[in-house]
Amino acid sequence: MATSTVSGVHMTTIRPCITSARKDFLLNTTSFTSLDCKEGSFTGLSSSSNISRQPLFKSLKAKPLKCQRVVTKAMSSANDNKPLPGLPVDLRGYASPCFSIFMSILMQSHIHFYFGHVFFISSGKCNNCAKSKRAFIAGIADDNGYGWAIAKSLAAAGAEILVGTWVPALNIFESSLRRGKFDESRVLPDGSLMEITKVYPMDAVFDSPEDVPEDIKTNKRYAGSSNWTVKELAECVKNDFGTIDILVHSLANGPEVTKPLLETSRYGYLAAISASSYSFISLLQNFLPIMNPGGATISLTYIASERVIPGYGGGMSSAKAALESDTQVLAFEAGRKHKVRVNTISAGPLRSRAAKAIGFIDMMIDYSSENAPLQRELTAEEVGNAAAFLASPLASAITGAVVYVDNGLNAMGVGVDSPVFADLDIPKSK
């Protein structure tokens, strides 16, 4: 995973609080302002990323106070006391009434970079403090797409994983899980395997049973499955688990994606919009009532929403544009009514099974590698890690955003690999 560069993980307990606000941000030394502890004690939970092999704290001098700060990395959901390497995000969850962001620290010195948030939790008893955040990822059917990578990153951060799989692909997906075909790709940074608590059948094209046409009801690929419309799906999750905290929309379909827009039929265009963008609205309509305040929803978009990508047709570019526009409106409505954040990730090209159906994914990956500011192939893990960040308290003020995870390709106005620029001294990665 992209976080494999993190060489070590440790939990440091510092009982004295740092009392001076004037300590400089020096190499490998972190400074904090003083805090007034008043009556009672507090526990500080800091989720920080240290990509240096040097210890985070070399020396600290402070007066003893009734405070405690704990510096930690991503934690395993299997063992709440054991730190694990990987994501600097902790989604094991803490009850919102006793959870608040106290301090954010950013320090950079040479190649040493620290980023952290300090969370202070009341020392009073909290019955919900051990509960993990619960995530529902809609649209996972194999182990090599962005949905799977997002599930792994969330699991690595301690979230409980629920999955919605397209009904015709359900049997193969569940069979592959049982037979261990995905075991290699289920490995988390601590060496354990990602656990999927439950897999639900779903077809996000249909909102309720009344919307399902007869030919789908009698289709052999849907035989043996039930409660797979969006409304029924949300009801099942509610009955099984009560609430969720994170909702991920990782699905899209355009039956005429290989056709230019001028050759796309009304059916193909509307089918792309229905499966790829309205499905996100439908999921929010039905899942928001069971989402905890402070929750997060994430969808996946593509640069074709705003730039011309020849070959990405059939109304899919229009569907992604609609999805991004809807993200802003839904962020306002879901934020005001439910205190839930709504963001979308504009991911670069990935050599996934679904993307190969377009027919030119290898070409797009090569183009990106030649023209993006970061000249390398994007990994699914990098998109997964961005999603974990957006779902975490670290992104508590981010909503209505399109977050680009594409090695910077979105910033380019021209293709610098063009022969037109042959005489220019354009820097290239070594």
Side-chain angles (χ1 to χ4, degrees), residues 389-422:
F389 162 72
L390 289 173
S392 78
L394 300 178
S396 60
I398 301 176
T399 192
V402 178
V403 179
Y404 296 95
V405 185
D406 61 357
N407 288 325
L409 185 63
N410 71 93
M412 302 303 297
V414 296
V416 294
D417 63 342
S418 171
V420 174
F421 302 106

Side-chain angles (χ1 to χ4, degrees), residues 42-55:
F42 292 82
T43 299
L45 173 63
S46 174
S47 176
S48 66
S49 174
N50 176 13
I51 62 173
S52 166
R53 291 181 180 270
Q54 302 298 323

